[in-house]
Amino acid sequence: MRKQLVIAGLAGATSIAMTAAAGAHEAWLLTPEEMIGLASAPKPAVFTNPLFAAPLAALLAGGVFAAISLEPRWLDLENRLFRPLAERAGEIGPAVVRLGLSVMLFTAALGLLPAAGVAAGTRPTLFVPDMQLKLFDPAWGLLVPVQLALAAMLLTGLGTRIAGLAVAALAVFGLHLFGETFLAYAGHFAVPGLYLAFAGGGKFRLRLPAALAARLPAATALDRLELTPTVYRGLMIVFGLNFAYLGITYKLMQPTLLIAILEHGGFPEFGVGYGLLAFVMTFVEISAGLALVAGVLVRPVGLFLISAFTLFAVTLGETPFFHSNLYAMAAVLVMAGAGARRAAEGRETVRRLGAPAAGAMVEQAA
Amino acid sequence: MTRLFRSRRACLALASSLLAAGAFGVTSLLAETREPPPSLFVRIADGAPVPKLVAHAARNAEGEWTVSMEAENFRFTEICNAATGSEAVGHVHIYEGNRKLASAFAPEKSIGRLSPGRHLLTITLQATDHRAFATRDGMITAQLAIEA
C-alpha cells in the first residue's frame, strides 16, 4: 500500500516536473486562422482564478475519492462479468495491439494521416501526424522503410517480439530525434511495443513456411520473455503516467489549446461552456492516468479511454486511426483489468496451497 | 482484513484525489491569463525587440508571383531544429485562407501562378522548430492582397 502511494506521488511529481516544454498534441487539427485566434485567446477564469478552480477541483476530487473507495464493492461483479474476456486476454490482447500499432506505423510512414494543411502522402512522419521526418537529415528517411517493415511484421505476427521491442526502441529514439516534444507520445508507443515483446504474437498470426522455419532457430532469447504481473504492472504505470503528463502539460497548462480543438470540431458544449468542459475533461484525464499508475479502476479507465477517443473522433471528424495504439492498449486493460496484481497474489496462493486457483489463472491471462 | 483493506483503499483514494486537486490548485495560482500555449507558440519576451514583417508581391514575365518580405528583428534561416536563444530566427509560412501555399526560408519566395481575382495572403513568422512566434497580444503576421 505504501508502495502504491509512493508510486502515485512520484508519478504526479514527475508529470508536473515534465511540463516545462511540450509539443503540439493534436494541434495538427487547427487551421492557420484558428491558430491566430488561439494566440491571443485568454485562459478561462476557471483555470486561472483559485476561487473558481478550488471548489470545482474539490468537487471532482470527491468524485475520484468515492470511485476509488467504492471500487471493491463492485470488483467481484466486474471480474465475473469480464471473465470471458479475461480468459482470452492472453491471446486476443496481443492481436489487437499488433493491429493497432501496425496501423499507426503504416499510416505514419506513408504520411496518410497528415496534419492540417499538409497533403496526404507527402510528409512521412514518426508514429503521429506532427512528428515530420522531413525536418531532419535526409538519412532519417530510413525510418520510413523501418516503420513499414515493423508494420508488416506486426500485422502478420511474424517476429512479433522483435518488432515490439523495435517499436519500443523507436519510441525512445523519438525522444532523441524530436526532444521533449516527443514525451507526449513516447510512453504510448513504448508500452504497447514492450507488451508485445513480453506477451508474444497471440492469436491470428501467420506461421512461416515449414521449409523456412526449419532453417531458423526454433526459439530466440526473446521467446523466454513472459508477461509477468510485475511487467504488466510496470507497463500500466508508464501508460498511466503518460496520460497524467498529457493532461497536465497540454490541458491543464494550456487550456486554450484544448478549447480551440473543441471549437474546431464543434464539440457539444452541454450548456456549460468550453471553459468548464475543458476543466472537467482535464481533471478526468489526469485522474484516469493516476488511477492506472496506482493500479485501481483499471477497467473503468480503459472503458473511459475508449469512449473518450470515440467521442472525439466522431465529433471532431477525426479518424479513429489517429489513436489506434491507444485503443488497442485500452482494450487490453478492459480485458485483463488489474489482473497482474491478482495473478501475483494468486501465484503465491498456488505455491502455498499447491493447487491451481481458477480466478487467479483467469487474471493471469493479462 | 476487510477493514484494513478498506482503510488502505481510503488512503489511496485520498492520496489520488489530493494529488489531482493539488495540481489544479497550484496551476490556478501560477497561471498567466494571457499566455499563448507554449506547445504551439514561441513567446517573444516582454521588452525584447518584437519582429515585424512587411510583404510585397510582384509578377514576372511568365506570370508567376514572387512574394518579397522585409523583416525587422527577425532572421531567416533554412535550419529546422529545436528553437534556442533569444533571437527571433526561423522562416515564414504563406497561407491563402486555410491553405498553406509555401514555406519561405529566405526573404523572397515564388508562389507560382495565381488564378485571376483577388487573393488575400497571410504570412506568419515561424521558429526553427515550426512553432509560431507570438507576443502577449497574439501572432506576428503580415497580410498581403494580390490582384491577379
Side-chain angles (χ1 to χ4, degrees):
Chain A
M1 178 61 204
R2 186 176 290 173
K3 207 164 143 189
Q4 282 175 310
L5 287 174
V6 170
I7 290 169
L10 282 176
T14 312
S15 297
I16 291 164
M18 289 195 304
T19 55
H25 186 64
E26 287 189 323
W28 59 69
L29 292 167
L30 300 179
T31 65
E33 284 172 10
E34 287 166 340
M35 288 276 287
I36 290 170
L38 172 62
S40 55
K43 289 179 186 172
V46 71
F47 279 91
T48 57
N49 188 335
L51 290 177
F52 292 133
L56 191 55
L59 188 69
L60 292 169
V64 172
F65 179 83
I68 296 177
S69 299
L70 296 176
E71 190 192 23
R73 297 192 179 196
W74 74 72
L75 204 52
D76 284 340
L77 175 65
E78 177 190 301
N79 285 335
R80 277 204 301 277
L81 285 174
F82 282 88
R83 185 171 297 247
L85 280 175
E87 283 171 347
R88 291 165 181 80
E91 287 191 326
I92 298 174
V96 172
V97 175
R98 282 197 288 116
L99 181 65
L101 275 182
S102 61
V103 166
M104 293 302 285
L105 287 161
F106 183 76
T107 53
L110 298 181
L112 296 179
L113 294 177
V118 176
T122 58
R123 301 275 175 91
T125 63
L126 180 64
F127 290 129
V128 289
D130 59 339
M131 297 291 122
Q132 290 182 17
L133 294 170
K134 194 188 170 215
L135 304 181
F136 303 100
D137 190 288
W140 293 123
L142 182 67
L143 291 179
V144 172
V146 167
Q147 288 188 99
L148 287 174
L150 290 174
M153 288 171 77
L154 291 171
L155 195 62
T156 57
L158 297 172
T160 299
R161 289 179 192 268
I162 296 169
L165 206 57
V167 167
L170 209 52
V172 175
F173 182 69
L175 286 171
H176 165 71
L177 210 53
F178 295 96
E180 289 159 335
T181 305
F182 205 74
L183 272 174
Y185 309 110
H188 286 166
F189 285 94
V191 166
L194 289 173
Y195 171 78
L196 290 178
F198 281 93
K203 223 170 165 59
F204 308 121
R205 61 197 158 107
L206 300 180
R207 308 270 175 200
L208 282 174
L212 184 58
R215 292 171 179 236
L216 296 172
T220 66
L222 284 177
D223 291 322
R224 287 202 289 272
L225 292 178
E226 191 188 348
L227 189 69
T228 63
T230 309
V231 171
Y232 180 65
R233 188 79 192 83
L235 294 177
M236 209 193 297
I237 288 173
V238 178
F239 198 64
L241 195 56
N242 209 148
F243 273 111
Y245 168 75
L246 282 173
I248 292 173
T249 305
Y250 289 92
K251 295 184 175 67
L252 185 56
M253 305 294 278
Q254 308 177 62
T256 51
L257 176 56
L258 172 60
I259 291 169
I261 290 169
L262 294 176
E263 284 174 346
H264 169 91
F267 196 84
E269 287 189 71
F270 300 107
V272 295
Y274 284 130
L276 185 58
L277 196 61
F279 191 95
V280 174
M281 288 171 81
T282 305
F283 198 96
V284 172
E285 178 168 341
I286 294 171
S287 303
L290 291 176
L292 289 184
V293 171
V296 294
L297 297 171
V298 175
R299 282 197 180 103
V301 167
L303 287 170
F304 156 73
L305 292 176
I306 290 172
S307 312
F309 297 143
T310 306
L311 184 65
F312 261 80
V314 170
T315 54
L316 300 182
E318 193 186 66
T319 162
F321 291 142
F322 270 142
H323 293 115
S324 299
N325 56 323
L326 300 179
Y327 269 115
M329 272 317 292
V332 170
L333 296 177
V334 171
M335 281 188 273
R341 189 179 56 196
R342 297 184 152 256
E345 289 166 359
R347 280 178 175 179
E348 283 166 16
T349 311
V350 170
R351 280 193 209 107
R352 277 202 307 274
L353 301 178
M361 299 316 288
V362 166
E363 298 291 347
Q364 200 176 340
Chain B
M1 182 63 194
T2 308
R3 185 178 292 174
L4 180 65
F5 175 73
R6 277 184 184 163
S7 73
R8 284 179 173 179
R9 175 63 72 145
C11 286
L12 181 65
L14 186 64
S16 300
S17 51
L18 283 180
L19 204 57
F24 277 73
V26 171
T27 305
S28 65
L29 285 171
L30 300 176
E32 291 266 1
T33 51
R34 281 200 174 273
E35 201 63 41
S39 61
L40 297 184
F41 300 99
V42 177
R43 169 88 148 73
I44 303 290
D46 292 335
V50 177
K52 288 176 186 160
L53 189 68
V54 180
H56 310 277
R59 183 165 54 182
N60 65 15
E62 286 79 41
E64 293 185 339
W65 288 87
T66 297
V67 176
S68 304
M69 291 156 281
E70 292 167 28
E72 201 179 304
N73 302 321
F74 176 82
R75 185 163 56 81
F76 280 91
T77 178
E78 290 187 5
I79 297 169
C80 286
N81 56 15
T84 54
S86 55
E87 192 187 7
V89 180
H91 58 276
V92 302
H93 289 173
I94 304 173
Y95 298 96
E96 181 175 15
N98 284 328
R99 189 168 65 98
K100 187 175 170 187
L101 296 182
S103 294
F105 298 88
E108 286 202 344
K109 178 71 182 178
S110 172
I111 54 171
R113 295 170 192 275
L114 295 173
S115 59
R118 184 179 170 85
H119 297 264
L120 188 61
L121 308 188
T122 303
I123 303 168
T124 62
L125 289 187
Q126 311 287 142
T128 50
D129 60 1
H130 287 260
R131 287 186 294 161
F133 281 109
T135 66
R136 189 178 288 270
D137 299 321
M139 259 172 91
I140 300 167
T141 64
Q143 301 286 330
L144 178 61
I146 299 177
E147 294 290 347

